[in-house]
Amino acid sequence: MSLMPVEEALRKLLADAAPTETEQVPLARANGRILAAPLVSTRTQPPFAASAMDGYAIRHRDLQADRTRLEVIGEAPAGHGFTGQMQAGQAVRIFTGAPVPEGADTILIQENASRDGDRITVLEPPAIGAHVRPAGLDFAEGDVLLEPPLKLSYRHLALAAAMNHAVLPLRRQPRVAILATGDELVRPGATPGPDQIIASNHAGIAALVEDCGGAPVDLGISPDNPIALAEHVRGAITGRADILVTLGGASVGDHDLVQEVLGQQGMDLAFWRIAMRPGKPLMAGRLGATRVLGLPGNPVSSLVCGLLFLKPLIRALLGAPVETGLPSTAVLAAPLAQNDRRQDYVRATLSEDGNGRQIVTPFSRQDSSMLNLLARSGALIIRPPHAPAVDAGSEVPVLRL
């Protein structure tokens, strides 16, 4: 099987990725989730003309060129409006957020009034309508204020609450089952044997899933045993995973059993082996309703493939836009040699020079086992297949991390 170009593999992966169903979620649990339907305001905000300051509600026409004395006939704290009718020469003590009394049209702030008993003297006349928030200043009942596929943040949730929504229509989070494979792996915190290493890919992939809006499900580590591996796979299916992500074991070695076991379980293979570096042994397929994404075992390869393929797939299942284009360019700080037939994703630091230009500096080593370099990277330099050599100072496409 020849190597498939990255763009073609991504098109195949996303071709039939329909959004998950809508579910109703309490406002308190909606942070970071994707809105599934337009959110319509159920009320007007503010629902009445309200004072924006502490002071006195007055009739502007009562003001005179010299100091004006007005009679204070009542008080209007927030939540307790004044119910009377104001007449000429009268004022009502008012506080921020309280309804402006009937007959009043202006707020005299308390700093500009001198009070003596039930009388105030206007020290500095306000403009007509000063410090009055008209009804509907922010929004009106029936206004569509939040549109899908918005990722909800603290700002949007505050607005939804003000619209009087206690429950929101959201996309169900795709369930992403994550299965690490290999006799050589032990969990972080465990003591590895003399021939073992600490499993790290699952931690990064789970975090990526959460960042993208999915719900990670840790299936643990399967040994290199077909029976154990098949049992883990069946666990993902019975758990109704939208995506099964396998980590390692998808290559062609004698102990790489993932593709064989998945085939025995009925997987329909979509593609395998991509013209990219790192990450050539990427695999994708379907097991009934569950999508399968087999990521390489090398940590950097696994995380880069997760960024390039798993992230767009989760976004597609959430009905969110899939960003497949090149987001930006940067100025190269060191030369790069001519590329071969695979698309390279070169780990690099990202900085800014004195002129505000983005400068990208590739690491001299690009081994796919070196997580330290990926953690220190600010971008991946994208080198298309057969790209010519480029000198320092050239602009190159980058994917920011």
Side-chain angles (χ1 to χ4, degrees):
M1 182 183 292
S2 61
L3 299 182
M4 181 177 289
V6 172
E7 293 77 12
E8 182 181 347
L10 190 57
R11 282 196 301 271
K12 280 181 171 288
L13 183 69
L14 303 179
D16 60 347
T20 58
E21 65 273 16
T22 299
E23 62 180 8
Q24 301 298 318
V25 178
L27 184 71
R29 294 196 284 111
N31 188 38
R33 298 285 299 271
I34 301 296
L35 190 65
L39 209 61
V40 180
S41 177
T42 66
R43 59 184 286 111
T44 295
Q45 181 69 11
F48 42 74
S51 177
M53 300 287 284
D54 291 349
Y56 297 90
I58 65 172
R59 307 185 333 157
H60 190 269
R61 58 186 176 274
D62 288 339
L63 301 181
Q64 300 173 1
D66 56 357
R67 290 188 175 184
T68 300
R69 287 177 59 81
L70 301 172
E71 179 189 6
V72 180
I73 61 168
E75 185 173 279
H80 301 279
F82 179 77
T83 58
Q85 170 73 45
M86 286 179 53
Q87 304 297 328
Q90 295 179 337
V92 170
R93 179 73 166 118
I94 197 167
F95 296 89
T96 304
V100 175
E102 188 176 349
D105 58 10
T106 301
I107 304 300
L108 170 68
I109 61 174
Q110 59 190 21
E111 296 91 332
N112 293 337
S114 174
R115 184 165 180 173
D116 182 10
D118 289 337
R119 296 281 177 176
I120 59 169
T121 299
V122 178
L123 304 179
E124 184 177 326
I128 187 170
H131 310 301
V132 173
R133 294 172 177 153
L137 173 66
D138 197 359
F139 53 84
E141 182 179 353
D143 286 350
V144 178
L145 301 179
L146 297 174
E147 296 267 14
L150 179 67
K151 183 177 182 179
L152 298 170
S153 72
Y154 65 95
R155 297 174 292 128
H156 311 117
L157 295 179
L159 176 57
M163 296 159 67
N164 203 26
H165 286 282
V167 177
L168 304 180
L170 307 182
R171 288 288 172 201
R172 178 180 60 76
Q173 292 179 286
R175 292 180 291 270
V176 183
I178 303 169
L179 175 61
T181 67
D183 291 341
E184 75 278 15
L185 300 177
V186 298
R187 285 191 175 276
T191 300
D195 303 316
Q196 292 183 306
I197 59 173
I198 305 299
S200 59
N201 298 10
H202 69 289
I205 293 298
L208 178 64
V209 168
E210 287 186 339
D211 287 348
C212 297
V217 179
D218 187 358
L219 296 183
I221 300 172
S222 173
D224 290 322
N225 177 296
I227 296 175
L229 185 55
E231 184 177 346
H232 280 87
V233 170
R234 286 193 292 270
I237 303 305
T238 57
R240 297 185 297 114
D242 297 286
I243 307 171
L244 168 62
V245 176
T246 61
L247 305 174
S251 194
V252 292
D254 291 341
H255 300 281
D256 294 323
L257 306 173
V258 171
Q259 188 175 153
E260 178 184 349
V261 170
L262 288 169
Q264 293 169 353
Q265 296 297 311
M267 182 185 72
D268 181 16
L269 181 67
F271 59 81
W272 175 54
R273 301 176 76 234
I274 310 301
M276 62 182 290
R277 183 188 298 110
K280 182 178 75 170
L282 178 76
M283 175 187 68
R286 292 288 292 266
L287 260 173
T290 300
R291 298 169 180 276
V292 177
L293 195 60
L295 303 184
N298 277 319
V300 173
S301 301
S302 180
L303 295 176
V304 169
C305 286
L307 181 66
L308 297 176
F309 291 90
L310 180 57
K311 178 180 178 178
L313 179 56
I314 293 173
R315 288 184 62 82
L317 294 179
L318 288 169
V322 177
E323 300 150 0
T324 58
L326 300 180
S328 60
T329 61
V331 177
L332 192 61
L336 289 172
Q338 180 178 346
N339 198 18
D340 61 13
R341 63 182 181 141
R342 288 199 270 169
Q343 182 151 298
D344 261 359
Y345 294 89
V346 181
R347 279 141 282 160
T349 60
L350 193 64
S351 59
E352 189 174 290
D353 68 7
N355 297 318
R357 299 186 306 172
Q358 296 294 303
I359 307 298
V360 65
T361 307
F363 288 106
S364 58
R365 299 194 65 175
Q366 293 289 319
D367 192 287
S368 59
S369 69
M370 299 177 70
L371 277 174
N372 180 33
L373 296 189
L374 182 63
R376 292 162 53 195
S377 296
L380 299 175
I381 302 171
I382 303 174
R383 299 281 287 146
H386 308 295
V390 285
D391 296 325
S394 302
E395 282 200 353
V396 290
V398 298
L399 179 65
R400 294 173 182 268
L401 298 177

